[in-house]
Amino acid sequence: MFMRIDHVGIACHDLEEKIAFFERTFELTVVAREVNEEQGVKEAMLHIADGEGGGSYIQLLEPLGPDTPVGRFLAKRGEGVHHVAFGVPDVEAALGEIGGRGVRLLDEKPRHGSMGSSIAFLHPKDVGGMLTELVQAPPRRP
Ligand code: V0V
Ligand code: CO
């Protein structure tokens, strides 16, 4: 079902400061930036590698406000790994299969994600404490 790890999402207070750190420390390059109002984040994707079915990235996330998923996470836990996103060929099909196995779906239908992707989240309490995201890349992805 999972083809690859699409990205690891990292919650931070200051997106620009964290981008600069990842660029100078790990020589990574930002390939996309977006404000996603629905998800309550300002985010940047730093490219790691390309593979079959899409690339892999680090996603840096700054909350748009305290009353958002990432805002609440920062208040409770501080900066750090927020979620792991797996690449799937068909996010709607994956949701049906995973939901049928008893995992709570945070999204019944795919939503808009970074770089034109379709995304959906699984409840962290049902996945060993890990907030899990499913990502279907658009037909052609940078
Ligand atoms: C909360 N919990 C987590 C967690 N966030 N556990 C692991 N990883 C996380 N990131 C735990 C939390 O400690 C609580 O456990 C419990 O879940 C309920 O959390 P809460 O404090 O009540 O917080 P809420 O109300 O924010 O709900 C948590 C969930 C929410 C996960 C349901 O954050 C959500 O719907 N997330 C999905 C959307 C999202 O995260 N969007 C931002 C990324 P205890 O303390 O009760 O034991 S957007 C993105 O990745 C994009 C756009 C993209 O990739 O393209
Ligand atoms: Co993500």
Side-chain angles (χ1 to χ4, degrees):
M1 175 180 294
F2 294 162
M3 303 189 294
R4 64 206 160 78
I5 290 177
D6 184 283
H7 63 268
V8 174
I10 298 175
C12 64
H13 291 291
D14 184 337
L15 185 66
E16 296 310 321
E17 187 250 327
K18 274 299 179 292
I19 289 172
F21 171 80
F22 272 76
E23 284 181 335
R24 74 169 179 269
T25 308
F26 302 126
E27 300 173 10
L28 298 176
T29 304
V30 173
V31 292
R33 287 168 183 264
E34 201 173 314
V35 172
N36 188 323
E37 299 275 353
E38 184 182 37
Q39 298 292 339
V41 294
K42 185 162 86 167
E43 52 94 359
M45 297 296 260
L46 292 92
H47 180 256
I48 305 243
D50 284 313
E52 247 179 85
S56 62
Y57 307 86
I58 292 288
Q59 181 176 51
L60 299 176
L61 303 153
E62 181 188 311
L64 293 178
D67 196 19
T68 60
V70 175
R72 285 188 289 272
F73 179 92
L74 282 171
K76 259 195 172 171
R77 302 187 179 203
E79 293 188 319
V81 173
H82 178 259
H83 64 270
V84 175
F86 295 98
V88 295
D90 181 336
V91 70
E92 227 165 346
L95 281 176
E97 288 166 30
I98 294 166
R101 292 169 194 158
V103 171
R104 274 171 292 167
L105 310 177
L106 295 171
D107 301 295
E108 295 289 335
K109 286 210 175 293
R111 298 178 187 277
H112 166 76
S114 187
M115 301 190 289
S117 62
S118 295
I119 63 172
F121 288 89
L122 311 178
H123 202 292
K125 294 287 176 196
D126 293 349
V127 192
M130 177 178 77
L131 178 58
T132 303
E133 179 184 341
L134 308 177
V135 182
Q136 180 181 341
R140 258 192 280 156
R141 190 162 178 174

